[in-house]
Amino acid sequence: MDHEKMAQDLATAFAVSQQVVDTERPQIQLQKMLEDYCAAYGFFRNRSD
């Protein structure tokens, strides 16, 4: 099993699931999604090592 790919997929799914569409401030929403992705990726990456 490719742990790197699994961590990326889980982090992406988590980041996307945490978003609420904000048409007024898309840049802030994108930044939040990136922060969620990085946090989730770090968590899942550490768990799979």
Side-chain angles (χ1 to χ4, degrees), residues 2 8 10-11 14 17 20 23-25 33 35 37 49:
D2 183 359
Q8 288 177 350
L10 287 170
F14 174 78
S17 73
V20 175
T23 58
E24 303 273 325
R25 302 175 303 174
M33 185 182 289
E35 289 170 1
Y37 171 83
D49 285 345

Side-chain angles (χ1 to χ4, degrees), residues 5-42:
K5 176 80 169 104
M6 184 178 71
Q8 288 177 350
D9 291 347
L10 287 170
T12 300
F14 174 78
V16 171
S17 73
Q18 298 303 303
Q19 301 310 303
V20 175
V21 176
D22 184 353
T23 58
E24 303 273 325
R25 302 175 303 174
Q27 186 64 33
I28 292 171
Q29 183 175 5
L30 184 59
Q31 181 178 347
K32 173 82 169 89
M33 185 182 289
L34 182 59
E35 289 170 1
D36 288 349
Y37 171 83
C38 291
Y41 177 78

Side-chain angles (χ1 to χ4, degrees), residues 41-49:
Y41 177 78
F43 173 79
F44 290 120
R45 176 85 169 120
N46 288 336
R47 300 284 294 185
S48 66
D49 285 345

